[in-house]
Amino acid sequence: MKLETYDPLVERIAWQTRRHFLQQASGGLGAVALASLLAEQSQGQESRIQQLAEPGTQSTAIPPLAPKSPHFQAKAKQVIYILCTGSPPHLDLFDYKPKLVQLSGQDCPDSFLKGKRFAFTAGVPKLLGTPRTFSQHGPSGTWMSDAVPNFHSVADEICMIKSMYTDQFNHAPAELLLYTGSPRSGRPCLGSWVTYGLGSENENLPGFVVLISSGVQPNGGKSSFGSGFLPSVFQGIQCRSQGDPVLYVSDPPGMSRELRRLTLDAIGQLNQQQAAAMGHPETATRIAQYELAFRMQMSVPEVMDISRESASVLEQYGAKPGESSLANNCLLARRLIQQGVRYVQLFDWGWDFHGTGPNEDIRDGLTKKCATMDKPIAALIKDLRQQGLLDQTLIVWGGEFGRTPFREGRTAEGSILGRDHYPDCYCVFMAGGGVKAGMTYGETDELGFSVAEHPVHVHDLQATILHQLGFDHSRLTYRFQGRDYRLTDVHGKVVHDVLA
């Protein structure tokens, strides 16, 4: 197409599909269908319609991350979700089974194995009682082992759910189900749904920040913090505690901040012209992301600098400036929450306790790994309480599934004790954000093979988190490929019993 004959309206019509035409038609059957669709539009859909200014004006769009109102009054405003990637052995941390200890070493009853598949175990495995020492803490007598001594001091702040279960027994599908509502990639994650529905309270920082420790990406890859089919402005932004906090945000050598501003203004005008001609929501997203990145050049280095904290606070968390650790990330999570970041996701690798090496032994290996985890998380809970932020911040801790009550098949004959993957029951705890403190909810059977009381599916956990943020999970939807999608798909119920 020659430049002198180029007509953006003609090009736009040429690229339209039949579905696009029907959605945008102003008369006939298109209008009838459109009216029906609009009548069912859910909370948050307004963010898809960007009200762009004329090219060359200062205001480019209503910011996609501008604060929005939920469906009803929320108990929590922000979320910190800590995933121990690989799934910690809950039977050696929180779910004490004296009967399992008594029968340890005996063949697993066939009735518990019939019809089930396991990741690395076949035949008849041996029952494995915990080698840890358990005691009760807090007003409800929450059981905790000696592997997590720092959690003992915050038992009165924690709501322990011992009856979680999932549908998946391999890491990546289970993690994706937990965060996106589907075991396959392509769906928006929990943090993206939250920022899509609520926006952010700080225009100079991302609404959704991801912090990763132990040097390994999540099992689900970037899909575990991706926006799926939501506009990409709602995806998680990974920050680092070493080097540049965010890759590629810093100006290249030789470019001043003034020159960067002029460059972004020119790019912004071109994007505005495209947005006015094509009306694609990703163009508005691109404008917003460029502007956010420019502001982040000043705001992110400051909020990510934990050396600004006092020596006593660093000691409380076990944090060391310049290092990459869960301790540093817990402290960074508190700093981000203070600055109004809506959702902070922490991934910590190294919790896959199969027993294939000394670091995966549920005795010394678990003690060493927990020493990097329970101190900073306990410090985070106490710090948020002291700062007056715990009531508005929902903290969630857990893995993607549980571990078996028997020895893992590959290591069953060795001296190292480990457990296989297990989807049928595991533990998650929450703190702050309007949940009942000092409570234990749900139970498993006496050997830890199945949920015996108050089952909580991962979709129920998702629905409960959204409820605390002020959302009816069945109404927080986004239309994609002709249907309204939601985080919980067609499932999920709020666990009201754990809510204050």
Side-chain angles (χ1 to χ4, degrees):
M1 182 180 292
K2 295 182 179 180
L3 182 62
E4 60 267 22
T5 62
Y6 174 74
D7 187 336
L9 179 59
V10 172
E11 184 184 41
R12 179 180 179 183
I13 293 173
W15 280 96
Q16 276 192 334
T17 65
R18 180 171 56 186
R19 178 176 291 167
H20 291 150
F21 172 76
L22 290 174
Q23 286 178 336
Q24 297 174 19
S26 58
L29 292 176
V32 175
L34 182 61
S36 176
L37 291 173
L38 290 176
E40 298 174 359
Q41 287 277 346
S42 299
Q43 162 69 25
Q45 290 288 81
E46 292 82 4
S47 66
R48 295 180 64 189
I49 305 172
Q50 304 299 327
Q51 299 179 3
L52 298 172
E54 290 298 321
T57 60
Q58 184 176 6
S59 176
T60 58
I62 295 176
L65 289 174
K68 308 180 188 73
S69 298
H71 296 143
F72 47 83
Q73 186 173 355
K75 293 291 184 68
K77 296 173 60 178
Q78 296 159 288
V79 176
I80 300 173
Y81 201 125
I82 305 164
L83 185 76
C84 290
T85 308
S87 293
H90 63 289
L91 292 166
D92 305 297
L93 297 176
F94 304 117
D95 198 6
Y96 182 42
K97 297 298 173 187
K99 187 68 172 179
L100 184 61
V101 174
Q102 179 184 342
L103 299 177
S104 186
Q106 297 186 22
D107 286 348
C108 183
D110 182 66
S111 58
F112 289 111
L113 302 175
K114 189 175 181 179
K116 294 185 178 181
R117 294 184 301 159
F118 304 100
F120 299 102
T121 302
V124 181
K126 302 291 186 182
L127 294 173
L128 178 58
T130 182
R132 315 296 315 198
T133 300
F134 274 75
S135 54
Q136 290 180 282
H137 303 272
S140 66
T142 301
W143 286 101
M144 296 183 178
S145 81
D146 57 350
V148 286
N150 290 286
F151 280 162
H152 300 176
S153 63
V154 292
D156 58 343
E157 297 279 15
I158 286 174
C159 176
M160 181 69 67
I161 300 176
K162 298 170 66 175
S163 51
M164 286 293 305
Y165 71 101
T166 181
D167 305 332
Q168 302 295 321
F169 66 84
N170 281 324
H171 295 294
E175 187 173 289
L176 290 173
L177 180 63
L178 175 65
Y179 281 118
T180 73
S182 169
R184 292 167 292 279
S185 60
R187 300 281 187 91
C189 72
L190 173 59
S192 296
W193 281 110
V194 170
T195 49
Y196 162 67
L198 289 178
S200 181
E201 294 185 336
N202 189 328
E203 64 177 9
N204 298 321
L205 291 170
F208 174 14
V209 173
V210 179
L211 301 169
I212 297 175
S213 52
S214 300
V216 179
Q217 291 286 318
N219 287 302
K222 293 187 177 181
S223 294
S224 293
F225 54 92
S227 58
F229 46 71
L230 289 178
S232 56
V233 72
F234 300 113
Q235 69 185 356
I237 302 299
Q238 183 177 344
C239 293
R240 307 184 305 162
S241 55
Q242 287 181 318
D244 285 346
V246 182
L247 292 174
Y248 313 120
V249 167
S250 300
D251 290 328
M255 174 172 279
S256 66
R257 189 160 176 81
E258 292 74 19
L259 180 57
R260 171 66 81 182
R261 180 69 268 170
L262 290 172
T263 303
L264 290 181
D265 288 343
I267 294 173
Q269 290 180 7
L270 293 174
N271 283 332
Q272 288 168 357
Q273 292 175 20
Q274 184 183 41
M278 305 296 291
H280 199 290
E282 275 300 315
T283 308
T285 287
R286 189 181 308 139
I287 295 171
Q289 287 176 323
Y290 276 132
E291 292 300 321
L292 175 60
F294 182 74
R295 296 191 298 271
M296 284 169 58
Q297 288 180 321
M298 300 297 291
S299 58
V300 168
E302 179 178 349
V303 74
M304 296 292 290
D305 184 5
I306 63 172
S307 68
R308 298 169 181 262
E309 297 286 342
S310 67
S312 62
V313 169
L314 294 174
E315 169 57 29
Q316 183 182 4
Y317 281 84
K320 296 180 180 179
E323 294 189 0
S324 176
S325 67
L326 179 58
N328 282 20
N329 288 349
C330 285
L331 181 51
L332 286 170
R334 190 266 284 162
R335 291 174 63 85
L336 291 164
I337 289 296
Q338 282 181 308
Q339 296 300 316
V341 172
R342 184 70 69 185
Y343 187 101
V344 183
Q345 175 66 56
L346 276 60
F347 292 102
D348 185 57
W349 175 258
W351 294 94
D352 197 15
F353 278 80
H354 285 285
T356 56
N359 290 335
E360 294 181 8
D361 193 308
I362 59 176
R363 294 165 297 190
D364 291 345
L366 184 60
T367 299
K368 293 175 182 177
K369 186 60 178 175
C370 285
T372 69
M373 180 271 294
D374 76 322
K375 180 177 180 177
I377 295 178
L380 175 63
I381 294 172
K382 294 175 182 177
D383 200 2
L384 288 174
R385 173 62 72 196
Q386 184 178 3
Q387 300 280 345
L389 295 170
L390 187 59
D391 289 339
Q392 71 178 49
T393 306
L394 179 63
I395 298 175
V396 186
W397 174 96
E400 61 266 33
F401 45 59
R403 314 299 300 197
T404 55
F406 51 78
R407 294 195 66 171
E408 204 257 82
R410 296 173 301 174
T411 60
E413 302 300 324
S415 60
I416 300 175
L417 300 181
R419 302 182 186 274
D420 206 345
H421 305 171
Y422 199 63
D424 290 2
C425 47
Y426 66 105
C427 296
V428 163
F429 74 70
M430 298 187 287
V435 300
K436 290 180 180 178
M439 178 187 187
T440 297
Y441 183 78
E443 288 292 343
T444 54
D445 63 52
E446 62 180 0
L447 295 182
F449 274 91
S450 61
V451 173
E453 183 180 281
H454 303 314
V456 179
H457 189 267
V458 290
H459 286 310
D460 302 332
L461 179 65
Q462 295 160 353
T464 304
I465 292 171
L466 292 178
H467 180 274
Q468 292 307 90
L469 293 166
F471 288 112
D472 176 346
H473 70 100
S474 67
R475 293 168 53 205
L476 182 64
T477 62
Y478 189 89
R479 180 157 286 268
F480 177 67
Q481 294 183 337
R483 62 163 282 198
D484 289 333
Y485 283 85
R486 69 188 207 213
L487 173 63
T488 52
D489 197 36
V490 296
H491 311 285
K493 60 182 182 297
V494 177
V495 187
H496 289 283
D497 290 343
V498 304
L499 306 181

